Amino acid sequence: MGDPDVLEMVQQDRRVSKEDHSKANEDPRSRESSFLICQEPRSAKRYNLFLTRRLLFKKDEQSKDSIFFRDGIRKIDFVLSYVDDIKKEAEVKAERRKQFEQNLRKTGLELEIEDKMNSEDGRTYFVKIHAPWEVLATYAEVLGIKMPVKESDIPPADKIPFSCMLEPLKLPREVKHPTPEYFTVPFSRHRQELFLIKDESSFFPSSSRNRIVYYILSRCPFGMEDGKKRFGIERLLNSHTYSSAFPLHDGQYWKASEPPNPVNQRNILHQNWARFSYFYKEQPFNLIRDYYGEKIGIYFVFLGFYTEMLFFAAVVRLACFIYGVLTIPNTSSSAEICDPEIGGQIIMCPLCDELCDYWRLNSTCLASKFSHLFDNESTVFFAIFMGIWVTLFLEFWKQRQARLEYEWDLVDFEEEQQQLQLRPEFEAMCTKRKMNAVTQEMEPYLPLCSRLPWYILSGVTVTLWMALVVACMVAVIVYRLSVFATFASFMESEASLKHVKSFLTPQIATSLTGSCLNFIVILILNFFYEKISAWITKMEIPRTHQEYESSLTLKMFLFQFVNYYSSCFYVAFFKGKFVGYPEKYTYLFGVWRSEECDPAGCLVELTTQLTIIMTGKQIFGNIKEAIYPLVLNWWRRRKARTNSEKLYSRWEQDNDLETFGSLELFYEYLETVIQFGFVTLFVASFPLAPLLALLNNIIEIRVDAWKLTTQYRRPVAAKAHSIGVWQDILYGMAVLSVATNAVIVAFTSDMVPRLVYRYAYSVNETCPMRGYVNNSLSVFLIADFPNNTVPSEKRDYNTCRYRDYRNPPDSEDKYVPNIQYWHVLAAKMTFIITMEHVVFLIKFLLAWMIPDVPKDVLERVKREKLMTVKILHDFELNKLKENLRLNSASSTDFTRHFAIKENKENLAESTTYLTQ
């Protein structure tokens, strides 16, 4: 406090605040600081706060973590960086920067440039940007940012029963609710007295500040080129005029901030959200929204809600799994297959031509028991339950979204203007202009005929890549068919494998290797298609950022749907369905014999396929998300630190972090939606999917939080009131899942044939399923084998068995489907239709019964609208009375009448504005 330089500056500031700005002290430092406080009279409270912060700041000992200009007062809201260019375009880029920065100053933004000699690498310039109060107030009104006018008097929602049991999962109140609930209205410069402004420097949260600055940056012109007006920071970044543009983090994530810096929300988020030891804790959604904006906040709300709902599905499935384990000893099918007197005496036909030998049914004993874990009576129940679960999930999410809209002031939300802004690439390609019917302004226009060739190329490219996925799937099928015989002959001849043959059969070995190969192919195709789809979408020249994202979403989802699910659809719906019979097998390309399912069905193989693909995708995705930015940031810092004795400042630390691109959130949603498909589309055959998804999401939330808080630059805050087009995709997959699960239960599992046998063909009243295995296998006369399929080694067998419902060889219509075949087929079709109708009926009833917006939220919205209208009415009425009092003392009757009329018009206008 005793520093004479600081005291002298304070005295100068006091003198300047009482005089005209032109008579201020000529010292530049004094003139700069006085400019901050002499634009208009300030309240004593704000002036004292200014002095306190000035006295706390020591200009010669600026902290590495300082987020202020060199004066220690003006907060850095945004940072631009660039490097000197020695190429031909260096002068052009320098002129662009000069014009751009001049125009930024004209808008009212304040800039401070850090010379490259002060940077750690000795070659990067940094442009620090500060938005003063006047700029923030102006653009807050333009963007319609809602700010608090009064603390809310609406009581909090009632606590759920037994909420005390959930206390260990909850965060401290100051973290979960960092600010009280307020009634809010769109900010207005002309009614500043209405708002709860305690300190102008902290009135607007940092997310709103960087959003406002980015809004200005994205519209600021930087000159004329090719006869066209060029503007926007994105165009300058694309042309490498600037190398980066980002808002600053609050400070280092591992420690709290020190005065005079404000509270370090980044550190709070890291301590209470981004740590893996907090995996069981709830998320601080309000703090995430305050720091990163609503668009990122709503993603984490969605991921958290989805994970909570998965918990109930996982618990139900676990109960069904336990039921399967407990009922294995009572399963007559497995008992008959494993019985040496039954399954041991049944000789099965060879599974491949010539190389494969006859085999006994009891060799699949373990596989039949394993199959029962997933293919039992509870499978139908769980398939129906998941059809209801997905409806409840989507309906309750709509309610959660509506509640979020109220809590985050998004009830009257309009689409983010940045998303509707013309893309620089679109403007660059436009040679024509036309009148916009809405704005009545001339804007760039690209005729459809100019874009049509690219649309055609885009459609052809996507189609070809999906065809490539199918071709790769066929190649994997060919691999399975070609190596099955090799596995079978090798395992039969190798004596050392006798101990593992009981659980590692040729079918399982082929399935495991084929699934792993298929997963590797999926990753490779996905890597290349991501690059190609982004390029194709750019070539389509979408008009706005929203059109670009929608086009990319369609391409990526269609491809990944085919890429990840095609092999699963093959096993579920095609494998073993078109095999033929021993006298007349079907062949792929006339060379490879079609694959057969295990006598217990294809469900085990489908479970194996889904486990490998889903688990592998989740593990690979989490490792990639965690390791990739970590290694990249380490390498960037290692490469940059050439002048280690220099001050490694806050903006340099953030500049060395990875960029959170505009499509990062898109890929996060895409990953979640693909996982949702595994959970819903194949849950009848892969009942562990909800449990695996739950475990993955618990890790995913903390991985995403960790990388966003520690490894990425702070993204520009953006508003969003929903998850957008992804919600429509989820609804489509929910409807499709009912059909896929019904078909899986009917055709892939053994449930329907068992029911037909039990109620139509069983003759044993005490044990109705006894004899089912023998009944489900048809008889084939070995003498009827074609020469190219009969095993090379001769056996003393007259007949062998195969899985089908066909007439025996002594029948007049031998090997023709028998009556039971048609009964089973009819029962399968009946089951599909019945299950679909029952589930769809329940879905529609639930959707009708559950309102999109909860009743208490509707009441709160109405209450807030009523209170804000009343607050504004009282404010304008008091203003009217004050004007009348002043006018009565110093004005004529005419002036008083005019003032009354003017204030009434203002009051009516304000009331109408709020009720819209």
Side-chain angles (χ1 to χ4, degrees):
M1 291 289 291
D3 190 335
D5 292 335
V6 175
L7 292 175
E8 182 181 355
M9 290 174 67
V10 172
Q11 292 171 0
Q12 287 176 349
D13 290 337
R14 286 175 176 170
R15 288 196 299 270
V16 171
S17 66
K18 297 178 182 179
E19 300 174 1
D20 186 80
H21 181 61
S22 62
K23 299 178 182 179
N25 192 296
E26 291 300 317
D27 183 270
R29 184 176 59 186
S30 176
R31 184 166 65 250
E32 180 184 352
S33 58
S34 65
F35 175 78
L36 291 172
I37 62 172
C38 67
Q39 299 300 305
E40 56 177 305
R42 304 297 190 197
S43 66
K45 183 177 180 180
R46 184 180 176 225
Y47 185 73
N48 290 335
L49 180 64
F50 166 79
L51 293 180
T52 302
R53 293 182 63 187
R54 170 65 70 84
L55 292 170
L56 284 172
F57 180 74
K58 298 180 181 180
K59 60 181 182 297
D60 295 327
E61 300 178 13
Q62 188 175 19
S63 168
K64 289 183 179 181
D65 250 14
S66 175
I67 57 174
F68 294 97
F69 277 17
R70 284 189 289 269
D71 60 14
I73 299 169
R74 292 172 291 174
K75 184 179 179 181
I76 302 171
D77 295 310
F78 225 89
V79 175
L80 310 178
S81 71
Y82 64 92
V83 179
D84 278 336
D85 199 335
I86 59 175
K87 297 180 181 178
K88 295 180 180 179
E89 295 184 351
E91 293 183 3
V92 176
K93 291 180 179 178
E95 182 61 28
R96 287 175 185 165
R97 286 193 292 265
K98 180 182 176 182
Q99 291 291 328
F100 187 69
E101 290 167 16
Q102 284 179 355
N103 290 328
L104 287 178
R105 288 187 173 94
K106 289 177 183 178
T107 63
L109 294 178
E110 297 173 5
L111 276 60
E112 186 175 78
I113 299 177
E114 290 287 339
D115 190 82
K116 66 180 181 180
M117 300 307 296
N118 295 328
S119 65
E120 193 183 32
D121 62 5
R123 62 193 191 92
T124 305
Y125 293 86
F126 291 94
V127 181
K128 299 177 288 186
I129 302 174
H130 166 75
W133 170 258
E134 291 75 15
V135 173
L136 293 173
T138 300
Y139 284 93
E141 185 171 2
V142 170
L143 295 174
I145 296 177
K146 292 185 175 182
M147 300 305 293
V149 293
K150 181 184 177 182
E151 191 164 344
S152 175
D153 61 1
I154 302 175
D158 297 333
K159 290 187 177 181
I160 60 173
F162 308 107
S163 60
C164 59
M165 297 174 62
L166 303 177
E167 284 299 323
L169 309 180
K170 295 183 179 180
L171 291 169
R173 182 172 179 80
E174 63 273 12
V175 175
K176 186 178 179 182
H177 301 289
T179 57
E181 292 290 329
Y182 293 103
F183 292 129
T184 60
V185 297
F187 187 79
S188 173
R189 289 174 299 160
H190 306 296
R191 303 187 186 91
Q192 292 190 30
E193 300 88 349
L194 178 65
F195 296 90
L196 301 178
I197 305 176
K198 297 179 181 178
D199 176 15
E200 289 180 356
S201 63
S202 60
F203 177 64
F204 291 104
S206 57
S207 58
S208 297
R209 294 177 70 103
N210 72 60
R211 181 181 163 218
I212 288 171
V213 174
Y214 183 76
Y215 181 87
I216 298 172
L217 291 173
S218 63
R219 285 159 177 75
C220 183
F222 55 84
M224 300 287 292
E225 295 179 7
D226 301 326
K228 298 179 182 178
K229 187 177 181 181
R230 303 297 185 185
F231 61 90
I233 186 62
E234 291 299 329
R235 186 183 292 277
L236 292 173
L237 290 171
N238 291 339
S239 64
H240 304 291
T241 303
Y242 288 102
S243 55
S244 63
F246 54 91
L248 278 184
H249 278 296
D250 280 358
Q252 293 170 332
Y253 65 85
W254 63 83
K255 68 176 184 179
S257 59
E258 300 175 358
N261 288 343
V263 175
N264 186 353
Q265 291 184 326
R266 186 189 188 191
N267 173 254
I268 298 174
L269 284 170
H270 180 259
Q271 292 296 319
N272 297 279
W273 179 48
R275 291 196 298 172
F276 291 98
S277 58
Y278 272 45
F279 72 92
Y280 61 94
K281 293 279 190 179
E282 61 183 342
Q283 300 182 73
F285 295 125
N286 290 323
L287 195 59
I288 297 169
R289 174 242 186 167
D290 289 344
Y291 194 73
Y292 291 113
E294 288 82 358
K295 192 169 185 178
I296 290 178
I298 204 168
Y299 162 73
F300 282 103
V301 174
F302 170 73
L303 187 58
F305 182 80
Y306 171 49
T307 305
E308 290 172 9
M309 291 295 291
L310 279 174
F311 173 77
F312 299 105
V315 168
V316 174
R317 181 54 231 178
L318 188 61
C320 295
F321 182 80
I322 293 172
Y323 170 82
V325 172
L326 296 177
T327 55
I328 284 179
N330 302 324
T331 307
S332 59
S333 299
S334 296
E336 290 182 359
I337 291 174
C338 298
D339 190 343
E341 299 300 322
I342 302 176
Q345 300 302 316
I346 297 177
I347 307 300
M348 301 295 294
C349 296
L351 294 172
C352 64
D353 296 340
E354 297 184 312
L355 294 177
C356 295
D357 200 357
Y358 303 98
W359 53 284
R360 296 185 184 275
L361 184 59
N362 65 348
S363 64
T364 62
C365 173
L366 191 63
S368 68
K369 291 181 178 180
F370 183 71
S371 176
H372 177 76
L373 295 175
F374 308 105
D375 188 8
N376 54 65
E377 293 80 2
S378 67
T379 303
V380 179
F381 162 76
F382 190 63
I384 295 173
F385 168 81
M386 286 302 293
I388 298 170
W389 175 89
V390 74
T391 303
L392 291 174
F393 164 65
L394 293 172
E395 292 301 319
F396 286 149
W397 167 245
K398 284 196 290 187
Q399 287 199 340
R400 182 72 180 93
Q401 204 166 244
R403 192 177 298 278
L404 206 64
E405 287 181 15
Y406 164 73
E407 292 174 353
W408 288 1
D409 294 322
L410 299 169
V411 174
D412 301 319
F413 172 80
E414 293 182 5
E415 192 64 48
E416 189 73 21
Q417 295 189 27
Q418 279 93 331
Q419 288 293 310
L420 301 177
Q421 185 182 359
L422 296 179
R423 297 175 69 243
E425 295 85 349
F426 176 81
E427 293 183 88
M429 294 295 294
C430 292
T431 56
K432 299 181 181 179
R433 303 179 76 84
K434 74 170 186 177
M435 180 72 71
N436 187 307
V438 178
T439 63
Q440 293 297 305
E441 294 179 357
M442 298 298 291
E443 65 178 19
Y445 168 69
L446 197 63
L448 179 62
C449 59
S450 301
R451 288 194 280 181
L452 191 59
W454 290 108
Y455 283 137
I456 295 173
L457 177 62
S458 175
V460 170
T461 303
V462 174
T463 304
L464 287 176
W465 270 87
M466 288 195 290
L468 179 61
V469 171
V470 175
C472 290
M473 182 190 71
V474 172
V476 173
I477 294 172
V478 170
Y479 159 81
R480 292 155 65 112
L481 296 174
S482 59
V483 303
F484 177 78
T486 305
F487 274 126
S489 59
F490 175 74
M491 295 179 74
E492 186 68 29
S493 60
E494 191 66 31
S496 60
L497 297 177
K498 286 185 178 180
H499 299 292
V500 300
K501 283 199 300 183
S502 60
F503 58 89
L504 188 64
T505 62
Q507 294 99 319
I508 294 176
T510 305
S511 176
L512 285 172
T513 57
S515 298
C516 293
L517 178 63
N518 189 61
F519 175 65
I520 294 170
V521 171
I522 285 172
L523 292 181
I524 294 172
L525 290 176
N526 201 44
F527 174 79
F528 286 107
Y529 183 77
E530 281 185 10
K531 313 295 182 186
I532 291 174
S533 62
W535 177 76
I536 285 292
T537 306
K538 287 181 180 178
M539 292 300 101
E540 290 177 2
I541 321 173
R543 184 171 175 273
T544 63
H545 294 283
Q546 190 178 55
E547 289 181 12
Y548 175 85
E549 193 168 316
S550 298
S551 179
L552 185 62
T553 299
L554 179 63
K555 291 183 185 64
M556 286 299 299
F557 176 73
L558 283 178
F559 174 79
Q560 292 214 3
F561 185 92
V562 175
N563 195 23
Y564 280 107
Y565 302 145
S566 57
S567 58
C568 302
F569 274 106
Y570 162 73
V571 176
F573 305 132
F574 297 101
K575 183 180 178 182
K577 308 300 186 294
F578 310 100
V579 176
Y581 58 98
E583 188 180 31
K584 192 177 180 181
Y585 284 121
T586 58
Y587 288 82
L588 183 65
F589 305 128
V591 179
W592 293 284
R593 199 173 103 184
S594 297
E595 287 185 285
E596 294 184 44
C597 289
D598 189 90
C602 278
L603 211 60
V604 173
E605 186 171 341
L606 182 56
T607 302
T608 305
Q609 179 96 354
L610 286 164
T611 302
I612 291 174
I613 294 177
M614 182 179 176
T615 308
K617 176 185 180 299
Q618 294 181 161
I619 293 173
F620 177 80
N622 282 325
I623 292 175
K624 178 186 172 184
E625 287 184 17
I627 300 298
Y628 176 75
L630 191 67
V631 173
L632 213 62
N633 291 338
W634 171 82
W635 178 252
R636 191 182 289 113
R637 285 192 294 268
R638 184 177 181 276
K639 215 166 108 177
R641 292 189 179 182
T642 55
N643 298 326
S644 56
E645 73 280 358
K646 299 288 185 183
L647 177 69
Y648 193 47
S649 59
R650 170 81 263 132
W651 45 90
E652 288 179 284
Q653 294 173 43
D654 284 11
N655 189 58
D656 286 344
L657 296 177
E658 182 67 8
T659 304
F660 191 85
S662 58
L663 294 178
E664 289 290 337
L665 214 55
F666 163 82
Y667 286 113
E668 295 293 347
Y669 275 118
L670 182 62
E671 180 185 356
T672 306
V673 168
I674 293 297
Q675 184 203 83
F676 181 81
F678 282 116
V679 170
T680 56
L681 294 177
F682 306 100
V683 74
S685 60
F686 187 36
L688 291 180
L691 181 60
L692 292 176
L694 173 65
L695 297 175
N696 173 79
N697 287 359
I698 290 172
I699 299 172
E700 176 81 15
I701 289 172
R702 304 302 160 179
V703 169
D704 287 347
W706 172 80
K707 71 179 184 181
L708 195 62
T709 308
T710 66
Q711 302 302 313
Y712 281 94
R713 295 172 187 163
R714 185 176 182 177
V716 178
K719 294 181 80 71
H721 72 297
S722 69
I723 60 175
V725 68
W726 299 110
Q727 190 155 333
D728 298 326
I729 293 175
L730 292 176
Y731 273 104
M733 295 181 78
V735 172
L736 181 61
S737 68
V738 178
T740 56
N741 283 302
V743 174
I744 287 172
V745 172
F747 284 95
T748 308
S749 83
D750 212 27
M751 179 63 61
V752 175
R754 288 202 297 262
L755 291 174
V756 171
Y757 175 80
R758 180 186 185 114
Y759 294 106
Y761 291 91
S762 177
V763 294
N764 192 326
E765 295 182 0
T766 57
C767 188
M769 291 306 297
R770 180 170 295 174
Y772 167 73
V773 171
N774 185 62
N775 176 265
S776 65
L777 300 174
S778 297
V779 180
F780 182 76
L781 188 64
I782 292 177
D784 292 336
F785 263 123
N787 292 332
N788 62 326
T789 61
V790 66
S792 55
E793 294 187 19
K794 301 296 182 182
R795 299 289 184 182
D796 296 332
Y797 305 133
N798 294 321
T799 61
C800 63
R801 310 294 292 272
Y802 61 99
R803 185 176 174 81
D804 207 344
Y805 294 100
R806 292 179 181 270
N807 290 326
D810 56 357
S811 172
E812 292 183 3
D813 299 321
K814 67 176 183 178
Y815 309 137
V816 173
N818 58 25
I819 190 65
Q820 190 173 351
Y821 171 88
W822 299 109
H823 285 168
V824 170
L825 181 62
K828 289 179 177 180
M829 300 306 297
T830 302
F831 175 84
I832 292 173
I833 295 171
T834 304
M835 179 177 168
E836 283 185 348
H837 280 69
V838 169
V839 174
F840 279 129
L841 178 62
I842 296 173
K843 284 169 68 72
F844 290 139
L845 284 175
L846 289 173
W848 174 72
M849 292 169 60
I850 301 173
D852 291 350
V853 183
K855 184 180 177 181
D856 67 307
V857 174
L858 280 174
E859 292 172 349
R860 287 167 179 264
V861 170
K862 291 177 181 178
R863 169 68 179 168
E864 180 158 348
K865 284 188 175 181
L866 176 66
M867 288 302 299
T868 51
V869 169
K870 183 178 182 300
I871 291 168
L872 188 60
H873 180 275
D874 293 343
F875 173 78
E876 293 292 348
L877 190 61
N878 291 334
K879 200 173 180 180
L880 173 63
K881 290 178 180 178
E882 186 178 350
N883 287 342
L884 284 175
R885 182 176 58 80
L886 294 174
N887 290 334
S888 63
S890 58
S891 303
T892 62
D893 291 341
F894 173 77
T895 307
R896 188 183 305 113
H897 175 75
F898 182 78
I900 293 172
K901 182 178 179 181
E902 182 182 10
N903 279 281
K904 283 183 176 179
E905 288 175 355
N906 288 339
L907 180 60
E909 180 184 348
S910 301
T911 305
T912 304
Y913 170 70
L914 264 180
T915 54
Q916 286 178 345

